[in-house]
Amino acid sequence: MIRLNPECPHCHRKEGIRKHGISRTRLQRYMCIDCGKTFQTRYYYRANYHNINSQISELVRKGWSAQKIGIHLKISVNTVNRRLKDLLIHSDSLTD
C-alpha cells in the first residue's frame, strides 16, 4: 500500500504530518507537527481552499465584478464579498 504524504499549506513541509480526525463532510483532516496548523488535502466547498483569497484579489485587480468572480471560481457571491471585505480590513491594518 502506497501512503501519500500531504504537504502543509501553511509551512510547506511534508515531514511531521499526522492524521487529525475526520471533518463534518467525512474528509480526512491532518495536523502539521511543525507549525501546529490543521488542514485537509481536499475540501467539499471550494471557498475553503487556502489560495482562494489570492485568486479573488488577483481577479479584482483585473477589474472583475464579484458576481463574475463567484461564477468563475464556483463559489457564492456573498462569499466573494465577505472575503473582499476581510482582505480590505486586513490590508488597512497592515498599513497603519
Side-chain angles (χ1 to χ4, degrees), residues 70-82:
I71 292 169
H72 178 73
L73 296 177
K74 298 180 181 145
I75 60 175
S76 166
V77 175
N78 291 334
T79 301
V80 173
N81 287 326
R82 188 173 51 252

Side-chain angles (χ1 to χ4, degrees), residues 16 23-24 35 41-42 48 51 58 68 70 80 92-93 95:
S23 71
R24 283 187 234 167
C35 68
T41 54
R42 61 189 185 103
N48 290 335
N51 64 347
E58 181 181 331
K68 189 174 178 182
V80 173
D92 287 345
S93 67
T95 57

Side-chain angles (χ1 to χ4, degrees), residues 47-59:
N48 290 335
Y49 283 101
H50 67 278
N51 64 347
I52 202 77
N53 286 346
S54 61
Q55 290 178 357
I56 290 172
S57 61
E58 181 181 331
L59 293 173

Side-chain angles (χ1 to χ4, degrees), residues 20-29 40 42 44:
H20 191 67
I22 296 176
S23 71
R24 283 187 234 167
T25 56
R26 312 302 296 162
L27 297 172
Q28 180 68 54
R29 294 189 53 72
Q40 295 173 205
R42 61 189 185 103
Y44 182 75

